[in-house]
Amino acid sequence: MSPIQSKTFKAKDGREVVLRSIRWEDLDDCIEFINSLVEEGADILMDTKVSREEEADWLGKRLARAVKGEIIDVIAEVDGKMVANSEVEKRSGLMSHVGCLGIGIEADYRGIGIGTQIIQMLKEESKKAGLKVLVLDAFATNKTAHALYRKMGFQDAGRTPKAICKNGKYIDLIRMTLEL
Ligand SMILES: CC(C)(COP(=O)(O)OP(=O)(O)OC[C@H]1O[C@@H](n2cnc3c(N)ncnc32)[C@H](O)[C@@H]1OP(=O)(O)O)[C@@H](O)C(=O)NCCC(=O)NCCS
């Protein structure tokens, strides 16, 4: 599959944001990005910082899967730096019309509309790719994510109790779904 058509918009604070597919040249930014989220203890599944080798392995696999059309990815770039990462991962077999969405924005770039724009783009690209349903899981404690997903049309579809154990505390996961 060819990369998505990039798009530029002005964030709420006036900064120019480019939405585009990830590239091999983003490797250093990817390392800084994911490690910053791990360091702040963001509500994501990862809790250990990655090495350059691990991230290179991850990025190589991701680029290969994007080429095969197994993943739709959108990153946000501000002033030449990658500040957000997201993807819709297509399921397989009898669920190949279903995509699993994930998103993360670097702390200094939250609350200015980047998440909204990314999810809008992921919805459009998923539809173009023939997907019918998007699913995601959010920590029950993640009120911002929940508000964003609700705003973008996702509905609560269930709860997995104690799915996460973060710093010794159990947290439920909320499943949300959207029919495209
Ligand atoms: C959750 C996340 C993706 C939201 O992205 P964002 O770019 O900050 O979201 P936006 O600025 O587009 O805001 C979207 C909506 O979220 C809500 N929101 C944003 N910031 C908020 C805040 N500080 N408190 C409460 N709600 C907030 C609002 O409803 C907002 O819509 P509005 O601007 O029309 O009122 C981002 O905070 C993030 O990456 N957090 C860390 C990683 C993470 O939690 N990933 C999701 C895992 S499920």
Side-chain angles (χ1 to χ4, degrees):
M1 284 241 312
S2 49
I4 54 164
Q5 179 88 43
S6 66
K7 175 187 165 181
T8 303
F9 70 95
K10 272 220 185 309
K12 283 184 188 167
D13 66 353
R15 283 187 277 192
E16 191 163 279
V17 184
V18 180
L19 301 185
R20 61 166 173 84
S21 292
I22 204 163
R23 302 178 193 132
W24 182 251
E25 298 74 36
D26 296 316
L27 176 60
D28 287 332
D29 281 354
C30 285
I31 299 166
E32 198 184 318
F33 168 79
I34 191 61
N35 285 342
S36 75
L37 263 70
V38 169
E39 198 167 305
E40 69 163 287
D43 281 347
I44 57 171
L45 294 180
M46 284 179 65
D47 63 352
T48 312
K49 285 189 182 182
V50 297
S51 66
R52 189 180 174 78
E53 201 176 31
E54 287 166 333
E55 194 65 356
D57 185 51
W58 171 83
L59 182 55
K61 286 181 180 145
R62 178 154 167 170
L63 289 167
R65 296 195 67 199
V67 170
K68 287 195 262 175
E70 294 171 358
I71 281 186
I72 298 162
D73 76 277
V74 175
I75 69 137
E77 182 188 307
V78 176
D79 297 330
K81 173 180 139 83
M82 178 184 136
V83 300
N85 189 15
S86 74
E87 80 284 316
V88 167
E89 191 175 0
K90 289 189 202 171
R91 306 290 297 268
S92 58
L94 297 183
M95 290 185 79
S96 54
H97 59 290
V98 177
C100 206
L101 187 147
I103 182 169
I105 321 266
E106 209 171 295
D108 288 347
Y109 299 85
R110 292 179 195 151
I112 55 171
I114 295 178
T116 302
Q117 294 281 341
I118 286 180
I119 292 193
Q120 185 55 37
M121 194 170 209
L122 286 173
K123 279 170 63 175
E124 287 162 15
E125 294 296 327
S126 298
K127 220 171 172 174
K128 275 194 222 162
L131 295 182
K132 305 290 180 213
V133 183
L134 293 181
V135 302
L136 60 83
D137 291 304
F139 288 30
T141 44
N142 197 342
K143 302 294 175 213
T144 310
H146 206 233
L148 167 65
Y149 300 139
R150 272 247 169 94
K151 175 180 141 184
M152 301 310 290
F154 283 81
Q155 292 181 340
D156 290 8
R159 181 181 277 258
T160 310
K162 295 185 177 173
I164 302 293
C165 185
K166 186 176 176 184
N167 302 326
K169 275 196 175 166
Y170 287 105
I171 301 170
D172 296 353
L173 268 186
I174 297 176
R175 168 134 295 208
M176 301 185 81
T177 60
L178 172 78
E179 283 192 46
L180 292 166

